[in-house]
Amino acid sequence: MTRETLARGVPHTAPGAVVALSLSGKLTVEPVEGRTIRFGRNRPEVDVCVGETDLRVSRTHGVLTHRGGRWWVSNTGRLPIRLPRARWLFRDEDPVPLPEGYTPLFIRGSRDREHLLEMYVVGWDGGRPAIQHGAPTQPPKAWRLTPDEHLVLVVLGQRYLLHEANPQPLSRQQAAEILAELQPGANWSAKRVEHTVAAVRARLSARGVHGLRREEVGEPVGNALNDNLLRELVLSATLVPPDLTLLDALC
């Protein structure tokens, strides 16, 4: 028997309402200012029970609040909540707004279990998304890069394009040495590589890409900023494996 899921949409419901679904139950709440939904392990004291057999899940692990026309999720538990696009929401951080449509929330429990809480914020049409079997496929939103930016990021992110397990960016010094081989007269240096990459991070961050600023990832930063940048560029098909032909001159 197929398990119920909100990923396919919800039946016709009041615009702005939220539907929450876990293995333990389902709840639909209309968009009333100040209304809250609590979720966590303690079934008698929460509105939606999740992870009730797992002591790693807090008794009240999070709260959903309707404020200013939107639903906001807060973490009140000990462990972080994983949101889409590899974003983590930690205890006492600022609430995160849920977009219209489907959002899965994951709480990691004991023995690498992950407990799923599905959320669906109903749009103004009040129902399921339209079926579009024959509609043209929307192309991915590729980011515009200058030729220099494109080359630097292919060099920096070549491990991602080679499908390595758990890839990491090259260091800016490694990238500068490779670029100097590819373009001997272009005066590539580690500082120029960093300035080029930082400009792309700033531009994409201003366009709404999360995880490209120090305050968004926390300390120690390590490779997190460039890792998040490269994952965005690969997932958006801005960088693709055929770009590795730019490195053929090294062979």
Side-chain angles (χ1 to χ4, degrees):
M1 183 172 63
T2 303
R3 176 187 173 275
E4 183 180 4
T5 178
L6 303 182
R8 302 185 187 95
V10 297
H12 190 83
T13 310
V18 67
V19 184
L21 175 68
S22 72
L23 283 174
S24 302
K26 181 178 180 181
L27 180 69
T28 300
V29 179
E30 295 194 358
V32 176
E33 182 73 14
R35 180 162 288 180
T36 61
I37 301 170
R38 295 171 299 164
F39 58 90
R41 174 170 49 87
N42 190 359
R43 183 188 289 268
E45 296 187 5
V46 296
D47 303 294
V48 181
C49 184
V50 57
E52 62 183 332
T53 63
D54 194 331
L55 293 175
R56 289 289 181 88
V57 179
S58 296
R59 286 167 288 186
T60 300
H61 205 103
V63 177
L64 203 64
T65 305
H66 191 267
R67 187 177 71 251
R70 302 192 72 176
W71 289 98
W72 300 76
V73 61
S74 304
N75 187 346
T76 59
R78 291 181 178 272
L79 293 176
I81 298 170
R82 180 165 64 87
L83 290 82
R85 303 183 72 180
R87 181 170 185 179
W88 295 89
L89 177 61
F90 290 85
R91 185 174 188 169
D92 297 330
E93 284 190 327
D94 289 341
V96 173
L98 294 182
E100 285 188 4
Y102 179 72
T103 302
L105 307 179
F106 296 91
I107 303 171
R108 187 173 180 179
S110 57
R111 299 186 298 279
D112 292 330
R113 296 164 64 191
E114 278 202 316
H115 303 280
L116 171 63
L117 177 60
E118 298 182 70
M119 298 286 187
Y120 195 101
V121 177
V122 180
W124 290 106
D125 59 0
R128 295 178 183 270
I131 302 300
Q132 302 189 59
H133 293 159
T137 302
Q138 291 184 351
K141 180 183 178 181
W143 298 99
R144 187 170 298 176
L145 302 174
T146 68
D148 276 354
E149 291 171 344
H150 186 248
L151 178 61
V152 169
L153 288 160
V154 169
V155 171
L156 195 74
Q158 59 188 275
R159 293 169 178 161
Y160 298 76
L161 300 176
L162 288 167
H163 309 295
E164 290 188 10
N166 303 313
Q168 287 293 306
L170 269 62
S171 71
R172 58 185 181 179
Q173 185 59 47
Q174 289 174 309
E177 291 170 2
I178 292 172
L179 287 162
E181 287 188 60
L182 292 171
Q183 297 181 336
N187 297 318
W188 284 107
S189 65
K191 183 171 290 187
R192 183 180 172 190
V193 168
E194 177 56 30
H195 287 333
T196 302
V197 175
V200 178
R201 287 202 310 262
R203 193 163 71 243
L204 269 60
S205 178
R207 299 284 294 275
V209 178
H210 182 78
L212 304 184
R213 295 183 294 155
R214 298 182 71 91
E215 58 268 30
E216 293 173 338
V217 301
E219 299 291 345
V221 174
N223 283 334
L225 299 180
N226 286 344
D227 178 62
N228 290 339
L229 172 64
L230 289 166
R231 291 182 187 278
E232 169 63 26
L233 293 175
V234 170
L235 289 172
S236 64
T238 305
L239 300 183
V240 293
D243 289 336
L244 290 169
T245 57
L246 294 172
L247 309 185
D248 285 350
L250 298 175
C251 298

